[in-house]
Structures are given as C-alpha cells and as structure tokens.
Amino acid sequence: MQNNQVNITSTIVKTFVWSRNIRLFHWLNVLSVLLLIVIGSIIYFGKDLGISTDGKILLKTIHVCVGYVFAANLIFRIILGFIGKGYERWGQTLPFNKAFKQEFADFKKDKNKAFKGHSPLGKLMVGALMLSLSIQMVSGLVIAGTDIYYPPFGQYFAGSIAQDKSQVALIKPYSKENVDADAYTEMRSFRKPFITAHVYSFYFLLLLIPLHILAVFFAERREKHSIVSSMIHGYKYLPKDK
Ligand code: HEM
C-alpha cells in the first residue's frame, strides 16, 4: 500500500490562473444565461402555454431586466479582455493569435498536455460562446426597444411609430393607441432579422452549453488539474514543469 503512494506535493504545483474578475463574470454569466433561457423558453412557447397578453408583457419585462444584468456583465468581460492582465486578455482566451496553431499541433500530439489557461479546444469553445452571447446581447437590446419600448432604443422606436410625436408616452406594448400603422409595419420588418438572430443564436447556445459542460467534465477526469474547482478558487494543480 505504502509503495503505491506518490508524493504529489513534489511534482504538482498549485498555480493561480483565474482572477476574481474572471470568476465573478463566469458565475454571474451562468446564472443570468440560465434565467434568460428559462424565461426565453416560456416566451417561445407562449402560445402553446396559453399565456395572456399581460402575462407576455410581464415575462418580456422580466427577461429584459435580467438581460440588462447579463449585458452589463458581458460588456465588463469584453472590456476586461482589452485592459486586463494575464488570462483575462483576449490574446490568452480566443483562438486568434499566432501561437494558437502551434498550441493546437502540440495538443493533437499529446492530449494530456497541461495548459495553465485554456486548452486550444477550450479557446475555440470560448470563441463560439462569446460570439453567440454577443449576438444575444445586441439582438436582445434591439428587440427590447421594438417590443416593449425599453432602453436603450425604446424611446427611439416608440417615437418612430407615434402618430402624434408630442404624445410618445401613449405608446404601450400590444396597444394601437397613437400608433401609425405604416410606420409600425416598417418598424416590425426592421426588427425581423434581429428576432431571427436571437432565436438561432439561442439554438446555438443550447448546443454549446452542454458541450462546454461535457468538455470540462471529461478534461477534468483525464487531466486531473482541478479545472472545475479552479473556476471557484482560481487555482489549478499543474505538473511542476508548467
Ligand atoms: C443568453 C442570453 C439570452 C437568451 C438565451 C435569450 C433567449 C430568448 C428566447 C428563447 C426568446 C424567445 C424568442 C421568441 O419567442 O421569438 C427571447 C425573447 C426575447 N428576448 Fe432574449 N435572450 C437572451 C438575452 C436577451 C437580452 C440581453 C435581451 C435584452 C436586454 C433580450 C430581450 C428579449 C426580448 C425583448 C424578447 C421578446 C421577443 C419577442 O417578442 O418574442 N434577450 N429571448
């Protein structure tokens, strides 16, 4: 029994990887995206569920309010990628720098290779997730303006469809009061590609999120560098030569 034991403390080093900013972003993003998926799915199946107009307006209002938290957190992360340090920076996170090709070739040769930050597959996943989340944020903010006339574009869209421009406050979701029918049709056709982007990017996220969780789970089992808990306390347990 004694002979099979390995003194891991001499070969494994506790290495700080994920800053507090990254960990806060990650868990707030998980929480807000989860809520947005649940509320978004209820909106999506609204007709089948027999939800009333008032119910729809309430659901959309809650969805948009959670959306603001999600968007603020995502904008914080995007800025951090440019001004942050170490693994906060986009150069260390996305698969677009010169070193990526070599990293990928090394990874293909040795699947158990330890990476301080993201593995090359991890970088591809982060790139796809960031793209999809950004599409959700931009399209969501536009449709919030065209649907329930919420900021940042709600005032503009309400003004664009008002018959009497001095009474924009009369424009309410799902109401025809003070609405110019032609301007409304034009505004709804402007909104169409944004709704399409919001729904297709939602499908894409429903594919990416389980893939991301499975990839982390299998990487943890194979590499044993504590990548799951590293997103809680910030440390990975890596081979000494890393
Ligand atoms: C990861 C983030 C998000 C996910 C997964 C998500 C998901 C969804 C889904 C599935 C729907 C139903 C689509 C439909 O029935 O046509 C929806 C609708 C909506 N979303 Fe999001 N959303 C996200 C972020 C946002 C953000 C940031 C905002 C704005 C702040 C937003 C605003 C809206 C609005 C206004 C609707 C109602 C559109 C309609 O009239 O059907 N969403 N969302």
Side-chain angles (χ1 to χ4, degrees):
M1 183 73 183
Q2 280 287 15
N3 292 342
N4 291 337
Q5 288 180 336
V6 177
N7 180 10
I8 61 162
T9 51
S10 62
T11 54
I12 300 288
V13 182
K14 187 177 172 187
T15 314
F16 187 66
V17 182
W18 307 124
S19 69
R20 187 184 296 175
N21 285 336
I22 291 285
R23 287 175 282 142
L24 275 176
F25 160 76
H26 182 270
W27 294 114
L28 189 54
N29 189 54
V30 169
L31 195 70
S32 54
V33 169
L34 213 68
L35 273 171
L36 288 165
I37 287 177
V38 171
I39 307 165
S41 301
I42 302 173
I43 299 171
Y44 187 86
F45 292 111
K47 255 191 202 147
D48 304 324
L49 295 170
I51 294 171
S52 65
T53 301
D54 283 348
K56 268 193 236 165
I57 296 172
L58 178 66
L59 281 169
K60 287 180 185 186
T61 307
I62 300 171
H63 186 79
V64 169
C65 291
V66 179
Y68 289 146
V69 176
F70 157 79
N73 192 40
L74 186 59
I75 290 168
F76 163 74
R77 177 65 186 96
I78 292 170
I79 295 171
L80 195 65
F82 294 106
I83 64 167
K85 290 189 214 121
Y87 295 103
E88 292 171 347
R89 295 189 71 80
W90 290 127
Q92 302 281 357
T93 315
L94 297 177
F96 301 126
N97 62 0
K98 280 186 201 145
F100 180 73
K101 236 174 142 181
Q102 188 57 48
E103 269 175 28
F104 202 82
D106 292 348
F107 179 69
K108 275 205 318 209
K109 268 189 229 144
D110 175 10
K111 299 274 183 343
N112 288 327
K113 189 174 159 52
F115 290 91
K116 260 192 190 172
H118 295 290
S119 73
L121 285 184
K123 285 184 178 177
L124 285 170
M125 176 54 83
V126 173
L129 280 168
M130 282 293 165
L131 176 71
S132 183
L133 294 175
S134 302
I135 293 173
Q136 286 306 91
M137 174 177 71
V138 174
S139 58
L141 289 172
V142 172
I143 57 181
T146 59
D147 203 55
I148 52 171
Y149 309 111
Y150 262 50
F153 307 112
Q155 269 305 100
Y156 167 78
F157 286 116
S160 76
I161 61 166
Q163 264 171 344
D164 177 356
K165 306 282 183 208
S166 64
Q167 298 284 337
V168 175
L170 293 177
I171 306 270
K172 296 275 185 292
Y174 293 85
S175 156
K176 289 196 167 70
E177 194 180 355
N178 195 28
V179 171
D180 178 298
D182 290 340
Y184 183 77
T185 310
E186 203 178 306
M187 183 269 276
R188 296 295 282 192
S189 53
F190 171 82
R191 157 196 155 94
K192 230 176 176 174
F194 291 95
I195 254 294
T196 307
H198 206 67
V199 171
Y200 278 92
S201 176
F202 165 65
Y203 297 152
F204 191 43
L205 269 179
L206 289 187
L207 181 79
L208 288 180
I209 293 169
L211 261 180
H212 170 61
I213 295 169
L214 277 177
V216 168
F217 176 74
F218 284 112
E220 172 76 81
R221 273 187 53 147
R222 198 178 55 200
E223 296 164 14
K224 301 184 172 57
H225 300 145
S226 76
I227 60 175
V228 175
S229 55
S230 72
M231 204 35 95
I232 297 168
H233 47 58
Y235 290 90
K236 279 191 186 179
Y237 292 84
L238 296 168
K240 205 168 192 171
D241 55 357
K242 269 305 295 167

